[in-house]
Amino acid sequence: MQPTIYDVAKAAGVAASTVSRTFNKPGRVNEATRQRVLDAASELGYQHSPQNRALPGGRHRTIAMVLSDITNPHFFELIRGAEQRARASDVTLVIVNAEESQRVEEAQIRDLAPTADGFVLAASRLADDDLVALAGRHRVVLLNRELTGLTSVALAVGAGCQQILEHLASLGHRSLTYCAGPPGSWMGAVRWAALSAGAEEHGMTAHRVGPYTPNVANGGVAADGALRTGATAIVAHNDLLAFGVIRRLTQRGVRVPDDVSVVGFDDIFAADFVHPSLTTLGGPGAHAGRLAVELLIDQFAGRSVRDAEQIRLPTELVLRESSGPAPRGS
């Protein structure tokens, strides 16, 4: 069997896109890397030709899944579902971390474009215009984000936020504070819009603090900001931020949920193990990952019935120990 571009990439310890650039655009590869790739190709007996660049039909059978933050456990189930669906179709799934950076995300997509048949962009931080332009050049499916004209899979966040509001209102809460995540988060903007718009009809007021990097470490400053609003309920951008909020409240002697209730988003695996366990809005993560890859594969095969499909999956508010009745007199 003739060695492939992927064999060379593995032997040289680089990405397949780097091997492609070495042969097709050598000026974009530094000399040390270029020589390492050439040495690996020579040792393997790899012969570069246009036929080596793709499988028949111009396809590489490779999908790139770009994640906004690979360290966030929320993405684990998305990856699992996506990988299962890709494997069932004999497609290679490449996982890429955008590090919550639009610049990094753009660079990763640019580097992978020569060897990827399409992209699943999970919680993309790219601007709307940039996504439209990207979809004009490549097959793209959005995950955890929606944009008119582009195929996407997302949770029904508006309905989910209504569940949160109904839950808190039923417990007697009259004010909540949303601890916002990254400024470029489409999902975060949708959550705040739903919470702020729906609060009044439930007899509540809504405050917003942040933005914060959505991890445990930043939960402390988020908790401090939320306490200044006087709200009896805190809704964090995601579970990781909520964990940090609870830790900081405990340090300050604020009891959860006796003094303040805390709610998160994503229902990651650790939400049931923290103390108190976290009330959080979740959804079918693995199913969402499978659907996103399936929609992209449908584009390869020309099976999509419509130009763009926007699929919204149901959410579920998982009630645990971190939410409880509002303090008396609040």
Side-chain angles (χ1 to χ4, degrees):
M1 181 180 295
Q2 292 295 319
T4 68
I5 191 173
Y6 303 100
D7 297 324
V8 176
K10 182 178 181 180
V14 299
S17 58
T18 301
V19 178
S20 177
R21 286 197 303 275
T22 297
F23 289 103
N24 299 303
K25 297 179 180 179
R28 293 183 57 191
V29 181
N30 67 58
E31 184 56 30
T33 300
R34 175 178 173 276
Q35 193 57 54
R36 191 161 74 249
V37 170
L38 293 177
D39 290 344
S42 176
E43 184 175 343
L44 292 171
Y46 173 82
Q47 296 295 318
H48 176 66
S49 70
Q51 286 74 30
N52 292 127
R53 297 175 61 185
L55 295 177
R59 292 185 51 200
H60 302 266
R61 302 193 71 83
T62 299
I63 290 173
M65 187 176 189
V66 184
L67 310 174
S68 59
D69 179 10
I70 201 169
T71 65
N72 186 345
H74 165 62
F75 290 117
F76 295 171
E77 284 297 292
L78 296 177
I79 294 171
R80 185 170 69 87
E83 197 279 330
Q84 288 173 344
R85 185 61 184 86
R87 186 172 64 247
S89 295
D90 194 27
V91 170
T92 298
L93 184 71
V94 178
I95 306 299
V96 183
N97 183 21
E99 302 175 14
E100 287 285 4
S101 166
Q102 178 176 334
R103 179 186 59 80
V104 172
E105 185 173 352
E106 289 173 339
Q108 297 281 26
I109 292 171
R110 183 176 60 248
D111 289 347
L112 287 165
T115 54
D117 294 310
F119 295 90
V120 173
L121 305 182
S124 175
R125 302 302 186 227
L126 297 182
D128 288 354
D129 289 346
D130 292 334
L131 284 173
V132 171
L134 177 66
R137 300 189 302 270
H138 306 286
R139 301 178 184 93
V140 171
V141 171
L142 302 181
L143 191 52
N144 286 354
R145 181 168 176 175
E146 293 179 353
L147 183 60
T148 301
L150 272 65
T151 297
S152 62
V153 179
L155 297 181
V157 181
C161 287
Q162 286 299 314
Q163 294 177 47
I164 293 174
L165 291 169
E166 290 167 0
H167 172 60
L168 294 176
S170 75
L171 293 170
H173 292 276
R174 294 295 174 260
S175 62
L176 69 86
T177 293
Y178 177 63
C179 298
S185 171
W186 175 88
M187 188 65 77
V190 172
R191 289 168 179 166
W192 169 240
L195 290 170
S196 58
E200 185 175 355
E201 65 183 78
H202 288 88
M204 304 176 70
T205 58
H207 310 272
R208 181 181 183 274
V209 293
Y212 305 105
T213 300
N215 55 34
V216 176
N218 281 279
V221 66
D224 290 346
L227 286 175
R228 292 186 62 188
T229 69
T232 60
I234 297 174
V235 181
H237 173 81
N238 68 3
D239 290 348
L240 294 178
L241 193 65
F243 295 163
V245 166
I246 291 175
R247 184 171 66 183
R248 176 60 173 165
L249 293 176
T250 301
Q251 290 172 347
R252 293 189 56 168
V254 179
R255 298 169 300 169
V256 179
D258 296 22
D259 300 322
V260 176
S261 289
V262 178
V263 178
F265 283 94
D266 297 340
D267 192 24
I268 63 176
F269 64 88
D272 204 25
F273 304 138
V274 295
H275 181 73
S277 57
L278 181 65
T279 293
T280 177
L281 188 75
H287 183 50
R290 282 192 293 269
L291 271 177
V293 170
E294 184 169 319
L295 289 169
L296 198 56
I297 292 173
D298 282 348
Q299 291 184 31
F300 300 161
R303 290 195 297 264
S304 292
V305 177
R306 289 161 287 182
D307 290 336
E309 299 177 69
Q310 292 190 328
I311 297 177
R312 292 184 182 176
L313 301 176
T315 55
E316 177 186 8
L317 183 62
V318 182
L319 303 182
R320 297 192 179 97
E321 299 167 342
S322 69
S323 59
R328 291 182 179 180
S330 60

mmCIF file with all atom_site columns, all heavy atoms in Angstrom, residues 21-39:
data_model
loop_
_atom_site.group_PDB
_atom_site.id
_atom_site.type_symbol
_atom_site.label_atom_id
_atom_site.label_alt_id
_atom_site.label_comp_id
_atom_site.label_asym_id
_atom_site.label_entity_id
_atom_site.label_seq_id
_atom_site.pdbx_PDB_ins_code
_atom_site.Cartn_x
_atom_site.Cartn_y
_atom_site.Cartn_z
_atom_site.occupancy
_atom_site.B_iso_or_equiv
_atom_site.pdbx_formal_charge
_atom_site.auth_seq_id
_atom_site.auth_comp_id
_atom_site.auth_asym_id
_atom_site.auth_atom_id
_atom_site.pdbx_PDB_model_num
ATOM 1   N N   . ARG A 1 21 ? 1.020  21.732 2.989  1.00 0.00 ? 21 ARG A N   1
ATOM 2   C CA  . ARG A 1 21 ? 1.657  23.019 2.697  1.00 0.00 ? 21 ARG A CA  1
ATOM 3   C C   . ARG A 1 21 ? 3.109  22.833 2.277  1.00 0.00 ? 21 ARG A C   1
ATOM 4   O O   . ARG A 1 21 ? 3.624  23.587 1.447  1.00 0.00 ? 21 ARG A O   1
ATOM 5   C CB  . ARG A 1 21 ? 1.577  23.935 3.910  1.00 0.00 ? 21 ARG A CB  1
ATOM 6   C CG  . ARG A 1 21 ? 0.195  24.512 4.157  1.00 0.00 ? 21 ARG A CG  1
ATOM 7   C CD  . ARG A 1 21 ? 0.257  25.705 5.094  1.00 0.00 ? 21 ARG A CD  1
ATOM 8   N NE  . ARG A 1 21 ? 0.873  25.366 6.366  1.00 0.00 ? 21 ARG A NE  1
ATOM 9   C CZ  . ARG A 1 21 ? 0.220  24.840 7.389  1.00 0.00 ? 21 ARG A CZ  1
ATOM 10  N NH1 . ARG A 1 21 ? -1.064 24.584 7.275  1.00 0.00 ? 21 ARG A NH1 1
ATOM 11  N NH2 . ARG A 1 21 ? 0.843  24.572 8.515  1.00 0.00 ? 21 ARG A NH2 1
ATOM 12  N N   . THR A 1 22 ? 3.787  21.853 2.884  1.00 0.00 ? 22 THR A N   1
ATOM 13  C CA  . THR A 1 22 ? 5.193  21.619 2.531  1.00 0.00 ? 22 THR A CA  1
ATOM 14  C C   . THR A 1 22 ? 5.349  21.364 1.036  1.00 0.00 ? 22 THR A C   1
ATOM 15  O O   . THR A 1 22 ? 6.296  21.850 0.405  1.00 0.00 ? 22 THR A O   1
ATOM 16  C CB  . THR A 1 22 ? 5.745  20.423 3.330  1.00 0.00 ? 22 THR A CB  1
ATOM 17  O OG1 . THR A 1 22 ? 5.703  20.734 4.728  1.00 0.00 ? 22 THR A OG1 1
ATOM 18  C CG2 . THR A 1 22 ? 7.176  20.105 2.921  1.00 0.00 ? 22 THR A CG2 1
ATOM 19  N N   . PHE A 1 23 ? 4.417  20.606 0.467  1.00 0.00 ? 23 PHE A N   1
ATOM 20  C CA  . PHE A 1 23 ? 4.512  20.265 -0.949 1.00 0.00 ? 23 PHE A CA  1
ATOM 21  C C   . PHE A 1 23 ? 3.819  21.275 -1.860 1.00 0.00 ? 23 PHE A C   1
ATOM 22  O O   . PHE A 1 23 ? 4.259  21.498 -2.989 1.00 0.00 ? 23 PHE A O   1
ATOM 23  C CB  . PHE A 1 23 ? 3.926  18.873 -1.199 1.00 0.00 ? 23 PHE A CB  1
ATOM 24  C CG  . PHE A 1 23 ? 4.777  17.767 -0.644 1.00 0.00 ? 23 PHE A CG  1
ATOM 25  C CD1 . PHE A 1 23 ? 4.435  17.127 0.541  1.00 0.00 ? 23 PHE A CD1 1
ATOM 26  C CD2 . PHE A 1 23 ? 5.940  17.375 -1.299 1.00 0.00 ? 23 PHE A CD2 1
ATOM 27  C CE1 . PHE A 1 23 ? 5.221  16.110 1.051  1.00 0.00 ? 23 PHE A CE1 1
ATOM 28  C CE2 . PHE A 1 23 ? 6.738  16.354 -0.793 1.00 0.00 ? 23 PHE A CE2 1
ATOM 29  C CZ  . PHE A 1 23 ? 6.377  15.729 0.389  1.00 0.00 ? 23 PHE A CZ  1
ATOM 30  N N   . ASN A 1 24 ? 2.763  21.900 -1.359 1.00 0.00 ? 24 ASN A N   1
ATOM 31  C CA  . ASN A 1 24 ? 1.985  22.783 -2.223 1.00 0.00 ? 24 ASN A CA  1
ATOM 32  C C   . ASN A 1 24 ? 2.272  24.266 -2.014 1.00 0.00 ? 24 ASN A C   1
ATOM 33  O O   . ASN A 1 24 ? 2.153  25.062 -2.941 1.00 0.00 ? 24 ASN A O   1
ATOM 34  C CB  . ASN A 1 24 ? 0.485  22.523 -2.010 1.00 0.00 ? 24 ASN A CB  1
ATOM 35  C CG  . ASN A 1 24 ? 0.107  21.099 -2.362 1.00 0.00 ? 24 ASN A CG  1
ATOM 36  O OD1 . ASN A 1 24 ? 0.330  20.645 -3.470 1.00 0.00 ? 24 ASN A OD1 1
ATOM 37  N ND2 . ASN A 1 24 ? -0.473 20.376 -1.399 1.00 0.00 ? 24 ASN A ND2 1
ATOM 38  N N   . LYS A 1 25 ? 2.626  24.636 -0.773 1.00 0.00 ? 25 LYS A N   1
ATOM 39  C CA  . LYS A 1 25 ? 2.923  26.032 -0.466 1.00 0.00 ? 25 LYS A CA  1
ATOM 40  C C   . LYS A 1 25 ? 4.121  26.080 0.479  1.00 0.00 ? 25 LYS A C   1
ATOM 41  O O   . LYS A 1 25 ? 4.000  26.481 1.641  1.00 0.00 ? 25 LYS A O   1
ATOM 42  C CB  . LYS A 1 25 ? 1.714  26.719 0.170  1.00 0.00 ? 25 LYS A CB  1
ATOM 43  C CG  . LYS A 1 25 ? 0.497  26.776 -0.744 1.00 0.00 ? 25 LYS A CG  1
ATOM 44  C CD  . LYS A 1 25 ? -0.680 27.448 -0.045 1.00 0.00 ? 25 LYS A CD  1
ATOM 45  C CE  . LYS A 1 25 ? -1.902 27.498 -0.949 1.00 0.00 ? 25 LYS A CE  1
ATOM 46  N NZ  . LYS A 1 25 ? -3.062 28.141 -0.273 1.00 0.00 ? 25 LYS A NZ  1
ATOM 47  N N   . PRO A 1 26 ? 5.282  25.676 0.003  1.00 0.00 ? 26 PRO A N   1
ATOM 48  C CA  . PRO A 1 26 ? 6.456  25.555 0.882  1.00 0.00 ? 26 PRO A CA  1
ATOM 49  C C   . PRO A 1 26 ? 6.850  26.852 1.555  1.00 0.00 ? 26 PRO A C   1
ATOM 50  O O   . PRO A 1 26 ? 7.484  26.840 2.614  1.00 0.00 ? 26 PRO A O   1
ATOM 51  C CB  . PRO A 1 26 ? 7.552  25.052 -0.071 1.00 0.00 ? 26 PRO A CB  1
ATOM 52  C CG  . PRO A 1 26 ? 7.067  25.392 -1.444 1.00 0.00 ? 26 PRO A CG  1
ATOM 53  C CD  . PRO A 1 26 ? 5.584  25.304 -1.386 1.00 0.00 ? 26 PRO A CD  1
ATOM 54  N N   . GLY A 1 27 ? 6.496  27.969 0.983  1.00 0.00 ? 27 GLY A N   1
ATOM 55  C CA  . GLY A 1 27 ? 6.855  29.251 1.584  1.00 0.00 ? 27 GLY A CA  1
ATOM 56  C C   . GLY A 1 27 ? 6.163  29.512 2.904  1.00 0.00 ? 27 GLY A C   1
ATOM 57  O O   . GLY A 1 27 ? 6.570  30.392 3.665  1.00 0.00 ? 27 GLY A O   1
ATOM 58  N N   . ARG A 1 28 ? 5.104  28.730 3.205  1.00 0.00 ? 28 ARG A N   1
ATOM 59  C CA  . ARG A 1 28 ? 4.353  28.918 4.446  1.00 0.00 ? 28 ARG A CA  1
ATOM 60  C C   . ARG A 1 28 ? 4.795  27.967 5.546  1.00 0.00 ? 28 ARG A C   1
ATOM 61  O O   . ARG A 1 28 ? 4.163  27.887 6.597  1.00 0.00 ? 28 ARG A O   1
ATOM 62  C CB  . ARG A 1 28 ? 2.852  28.736 4.183  1.00 0.00 ? 28 ARG A CB  1
ATOM 63  C CG  . ARG A 1 28 ? 2.245  29.820 3.295  1.00 0.00 ? 28 ARG A CG  1
ATOM 64  C CD  . ARG A 1 28 ? 0.753  29.615 3.147  1.00 0.00 ? 28 ARG A CD  1
ATOM 65  N NE  . ARG A 1 28 ? 0.098  29.584 4.446  1.00 0.00 ? 28 ARG A NE  1
ATOM 66  C CZ  . ARG A 1 28 ? -1.169 29.218 4.622  1.00 0.00 ? 28 ARG A CZ  1
ATOM 67  N NH1 . ARG A 1 28 ? -1.887 28.831 3.581  1.00 0.00 ? 28 ARG A NH1 1
ATOM 68  N NH2 . ARG A 1 28 ? -1.707 29.214 5.827  1.00 0.00 ? 28 ARG A NH2 1
ATOM 69  N N   . VAL A 1 29 ? 5.899  27.240 5.312  1.00 0.00 ? 29 VAL A N   1
ATOM 70  C CA  . VAL A 1 29 ? 6.405  26.295 6.307  1.00 0.00 ? 29 VAL A CA  1
ATOM 71  C C   . VAL A 1 29 ? 7.860  26.653 6.626  1.00 0.00 ? 29 VAL A C   1
ATOM 72  O O   . VAL A 1 29 ? 8.661  26.883 5.707  1.00 0.00 ? 29 VAL A O   1
ATOM 73  C CB  . VAL A 1 29 ? 6.338  24.839 5.771  1.00 0.00 ? 29 VAL A CB  1
ATOM 74  C CG1 . VAL A 1 29 ? 6.842  23.873 6.821  1.00 0.00 ? 29 VAL A CG1 1
ATOM 75  C CG2 . VAL A 1 29 ? 4.922  24.492 5.358  1.00 0.00 ? 29 VAL A CG2 1
ATOM 76  N N   . ASN A 1 30 ? 8.190  26.705 7.934  1.00 0.00 ? 30 ASN A N   1
ATOM 77  C CA  . ASN A 1 30 ? 9.578  27.058 8.264  1.00 0.00 ? 30 ASN A CA  1
ATOM 78  C C   . ASN A 1 30 ? 10.522 25.933 7.833  1.00 0.00 ? 30 ASN A C   1
ATOM 79  O O   . ASN A 1 30 ? 10.115 24.786 7.675  1.00 0.00 ? 30 ASN A O   1
ATOM 80  C CB  . ASN A 1 30 ? 9.733  27.382 9.760  1.00 0.00 ? 30 ASN A CB  1
ATOM 81  C CG  . ASN A 1 30 ? 9.532  26.178 10.661 1.00 0.00 ? 30 ASN A CG  1
ATOM 82  O OD1 . ASN A 1 30 ? 10.234 25.173 10.540 1.00 0.00 ? 30 ASN A OD1 1
ATOM 83  N ND2 . ASN A 1 30 ? 8.573  26.280 11.572 1.00 0.00 ? 30 ASN A ND2 1
ATOM 84  N N   . GLU A 1 31 ? 11.794 26.279 7.655  1.00 0.00 ? 31 GLU A N   1
ATOM 85  C CA  . GLU A 1 31 ? 12.754 25.372 7.037  1.00 0.00 ? 31 GLU A CA  1
ATOM 86  C C   . GLU A 1 31 ? 12.939 24.083 7.832  1.00 0.00 ? 31 GLU A C   1
ATOM 87  O O   . GLU A 1 31 ? 13.031 22.993 7.266  1.00 0.00 ? 31 GLU A O   1
ATOM 88  C CB  . GLU A 1 31 ? 14.108 26.074 6.874  1.00 0.00 ? 31 GLU A CB  1
ATOM 89  C CG  . GLU A 1 31 ? 15.167 25.254 6.155  1.00 0.00 ? 31 GLU A CG  1
ATOM 90  C CD  . GLU A 1 31 ? 14.711 24.783 4.769  1.00 0.00 ? 31 GLU A CD  1
ATOM 91  O OE1 . GLU A 1 31 ? 13.903 25.485 4.131  1.00 0.00 ? 31 GLU A OE1 1
ATOM 92  O OE2 . GLU A 1 31 ? 15.160 23.707 4.329  1.00 0.00 ? 31 GLU A OE2 1
ATOM 93  N N   . ALA A 1 32 ? 12.996 24.187 9.170  1.00 0.00 ? 32 ALA A N   1
ATOM 94  C CA  . ALA A 1 32 ? 13.210 22.996 9.992  1.00 0.00 ? 32 ALA A CA  1
ATOM 95  C C   . ALA A 1 32 ? 12.043 22.014 9.844  1.00 0.00 ? 32 ALA A C   1
ATOM 96  O O   . ALA A 1 32 ? 12.249 20.801 9.690  1.00 0.00 ? 32 ALA A O   1
ATOM 97  C CB  . ALA A 1 32 ? 13.375 23.399 11.453 1.00 0.00 ? 32 ALA A CB  1
ATOM 98  N N   . THR A 1 33 ? 10.833 22.533 9.863  1.00 0.00 ? 33 THR A N   1
ATOM 99  C CA  . THR A 1 33 ? 9.649  21.668 9.719  1.00 0.00 ? 33 THR A CA  1
ATOM 100 C C   . THR A 1 33 ? 9.600  21.083 8.312  1.00 0.00 ? 33 THR A C   1
ATOM 101 O O   . THR A 1 33 ? 9.291  19.890 8.134  1.00 0.00 ? 33 THR A O   1
ATOM 102 C CB  . THR A 1 33 ? 8.367  22.460 10.001 1.00 0.00 ? 33 THR A CB  1
ATOM 103 O OG1 . THR A 1 33 ? 8.415  22.980 11.333 1.00 0.00 ? 33 THR A OG1 1
ATOM 104 C CG2 . THR A 1 33 ? 7.129  21.579 9.854  1.00 0.00 ? 33 THR A CG2 1
ATOM 105 N N   . ARG A 1 34 ? 9.889  21.919 7.326  1.00 0.00 ? 34 ARG A N   1
ATOM 106 C CA  . ARG A 1 34 ? 9.870  21.466 5.933  1.00 0.00 ? 34 ARG A CA  1
ATOM 107 C C   . ARG A 1 34 ? 10.842 20.306 5.744  1.00 0.00 ? 34 ARG A C   1
ATOM 108 O O   . ARG A 1 34 ? 10.506 19.282 5.111  1.00 0.00 ? 34 ARG A O   1
ATOM 109 C CB  . ARG A 1 34 ? 10.230 22.614 5.003  1.00 0.00 ? 34 ARG A CB  1
ATOM 110 C CG  . ARG A 1 34 ? 10.358 22.229 3.533  1.00 0.00 ? 34 ARG A CG  1
ATOM 111 C CD  . ARG A 1 34 ? 10.666 23.455 2.677  1.00 0.00 ? 34 ARG A CD  1
ATOM 112 N NE  . ARG A 1 34 ? 10.953 23.071 1.319  1.00 0.00 ? 34 ARG A NE  1
ATOM 113 C CZ  . ARG A 1 34 ? 12.118 22.667 0.869  1.00 0.00 ? 34 ARG A CZ  1
ATOM 114 N NH1 . ARG A 1 34 ? 13.149 22.592 1.717  1.00 0.00 ? 34 ARG A NH1 1
ATOM 115 N NH2 . ARG A 1 34 ? 12.297 22.338 -0.390 1.00 0.00 ? 34 ARG A NH2 1
ATOM 116 N N   . GLN A 1 35 ? 12.043 20.413 6.313  1.00 0.00 ? 35 GLN A N   1
ATOM 117 C CA  . GLN A 1 35 ? 13.031 19.363 6.143  1.00 0.00 ? 35 GLN A CA  1
ATOM 118 C C   . GLN A 1 35 ? 12.598 18.084 6.852  1.00 0.00 ? 35 GLN A C   1
ATOM 119 O O   . GLN A 1 35 ? 12.825 16.978 6.357  1.00 0.00 ? 35 GLN A O   1
ATOM 120 C CB  . GLN A 1 35 ? 14.394 19.824 6.680  1.00 0.00 ? 35 GLN A CB  1
ATOM 121 C CG  . GLN A 1 35 ? 15.550 18.917 6.266  1.00 0.00 ? 35 GLN A CG  1
ATOM 122 C CD  . GLN A 1 35 ? 15.657 18.787 4.745  1.00 0.00 ? 35 GLN A CD  1
ATOM 123 O OE1 . GLN A 1 35 ? 15.730 19.788 4.032  1.00 0.00 ? 35 GLN A OE1 1
ATOM 124 N NE2 . GLN A 1 35 ? 15.639 17.552 4.241  1.00 0.00 ? 35 GLN A NE2 1
ATOM 125 N N   . ARG A 1 36 ? 11.956 18.235 8.011  1.00 0.00 ? 36 ARG A N   1
ATOM 126 C CA  . ARG A 1 36 ? 11.493 17.062 8.742  1.00 0.00 ? 36 ARG A CA  1
ATOM 127 C C   . ARG A 1 36 ? 10.429 16.315 7.938  1.00 0.00 ? 36 ARG A C   1
ATOM 128 O O   . ARG A 1 36 ? 10.418 15.081 7.883  1.00 0.00 ? 36 ARG A O   1
ATOM 129 C CB  . ARG A 1 36 ? 10.924 17.486 10.100 1.00 0.00 ? 36 ARG A CB  1
ATOM 130 C CG  . ARG A 1 36 ? 10.663 16.312 11.029 1.00 0.00 ? 36 ARG A CG  1
ATOM 131 C CD  . ARG A 1 36 ? 10.538 16.723 12.477 1.00 0.00 ? 36 ARG A CD  1
ATOM 132 N NE  . ARG A 1 36 ? 9.290  17.384 12.776 1.00 0.00 ? 36 ARG A NE  1
ATOM 133 C CZ  . ARG A 1 36 ? 9.155  18.661 13.079 1.00 0.00 ? 36 ARG A CZ  1
ATOM 134 N NH1 . ARG A 1 36 ? 10.224 19.444 13.126 1.00 0.00 ? 36 ARG A NH1 1
ATOM 135 N NH2 . ARG A 1 36 ? 7.971  19.177 13.353 1.00 0.00 ? 36 ARG A NH2 1
ATOM 136 N N   . VAL A 1 37 ? 9.537  17.065 7.315  1.00 0.00 ? 37 VAL A N   1
ATOM 137 C CA  . VAL A 1 37 ? 8.493  16.448 6.488  1.00 0.00 ? 37 VAL A CA  1
ATOM 138 C C   . VAL A 1 37 ? 9.104  15.755 5.279  1.00 0.00 ? 37 VAL A C   1
ATOM 139 O O   . VAL A 1 37 ? 8.750  14.617 4.941  1.00 0.00 ? 37 VAL A O   1
ATOM 140 C CB  . VAL A 1 37 ? 7.465  17.503 6.040  1.00 0.00 ? 37 VAL A CB  1
ATOM 141 C CG1 . VAL A 1 37 ? 6.518  16.930 4.978  1.00 0.00 ? 37 VAL A CG1 1
ATOM 142 C CG2 . VAL A 1 37 ? 6.670  18.020 7.230  1.00 0.00 ? 37 VAL A CG2 1
ATOM 143 N N   . LEU A 1 38 ? 10.058 16.424 4.613  1.00 0.00 ? 38 LEU A N   1
ATOM 144 C CA  . LEU A 1 38 ? 10.697 15.836 3.435  1.00 0.00 ? 38 LEU A CA  1
ATOM 145 C C   . LEU A 1 38 ? 11.466 14.576 3.791  1.00 0.00 ? 38 LEU A C   1
ATOM 146 O O   . LEU A 1 38 ? 11.456 13.594 3.031  1.00 0.00 ? 38 LEU A O   1
ATOM 147 C CB  . LEU A 1 38 ? 11.626 16.871 2.786  1.00 0.00 ? 38 LEU A CB  1
ATOM 148 C CG  . LEU A 1 38 ? 10.941 18.085 2.163  1.00 0.00 ? 38 LEU A CG  1
ATOM 149 C CD1 . LEU A 1 38 ? 11.982 19.067 1.625  1.00 0.00 ? 38 LEU A CD1 1
ATOM 150 C CD2 . LEU A 1 38 ? 9.993  17.664 1.033  1.00 0.00 ? 38 LEU A CD2 1
ATOM 151 N N   . ASP A 1 39 ? 12.132 14.600 4.955  1.00 0.00 ? 39 ASP A N   1
ATOM 152 C CA  . ASP A 1 39 ? 12.876 13.406 5.393  1.00 0.00 ? 39 ASP A CA  1
ATOM 153 C C   . ASP A 1 39 ? 11.920 12.244 5.655  1.00 0.00 ? 39 ASP A C   1
ATOM 154 O O   . ASP A 1 39 ? 12.203 11.090 5.284  1.00 0.00 ? 39 ASP A O   1
ATOM 155 C CB  . ASP A 1 39 ? 13.678 13.717 6.662  1.00 0.00 ? 39 ASP A CB  1
ATOM 156 C CG  . ASP A 1 39 ? 14.851 14.644 6.401  1.00 0.00 ? 39 ASP A CG  1
ATOM 157 O OD1 . ASP A 1 39 ? 15.232 14.794 5.218  1.00 0.00 ? 39 ASP A OD1 1
ATOM 158 O OD2 . ASP A 1 39 ? 15.374 15.218 7.380  1.00 0.00 ? 39 ASP A OD2 1
#
